[in-house]
Amino acid sequence: MDYARAKNATVIVRGIRAVSDYEYELQMAIDEPQNRARHRNRFMLLAEEYSYLSSRLVKELARLGGPTKDFVPANVHQLLTAKSNKAA
């Protein structure tokens, strides 16, 4: 939310993988007064093939030299690859 505020964002788009994600994100959107006042929250259901994917999993794949290309945009894949090459 700090980043969104710094960029004067008016819409927050969140990916929802499961019902528990929806409940968590909805609670966050409702609980924080400045979220309600300044932002419209939009929730998008992810495609089934990505429903178990998380940033933690992608980072772990990259750290172990596994495939990340199909899970992230090309620029993110390049950064992950460069970071894992530096660590090696």
Side-chain angles (χ1 to χ4, degrees), residues 1 4 9 18 22-24 26 35 38 41 48 51 62 66-67 73 77 82 87:
M1 292 308 302
Y22 174 75
E23 291 171 347
Y24 173 78
L26 183 61
N35 286 354
R38 295 191 61 212
N41 291 279
E48 186 177 340
S51 64
H77 173 69

Side-chain angles (χ1 to χ4, degrees), residues 50 53-73 76-78 80-81 84:
Y50 300 116
L53 188 64
S54 68
S55 61
R56 183 178 52 214
L57 176 61
V58 172
K59 289 180 217 172
E60 185 71 8
L61 279 171
R63 187 181 70 76
L64 297 172
T68 60
K69 185 178 178 183
D70 293 335
F71 304 122
V72 295
V76 174
H77 173 69
Q78 290 172 345
L80 286 170
T81 302
S84 65

Side-chain angles (χ1 to χ4, degrees), residues 14-29 43 45 51-52:
R14 302 290 295 183
I16 303 295
R17 296 174 293 178
V19 172
S20 58
D21 284 352
Y22 174 75
E23 291 171 347
Y24 173 78
E25 294 294 341
L26 183 61
Q27 195 65 45
M28 281 189 14
F43 304 117
L45 293 175
S51 64
Y52 295 100

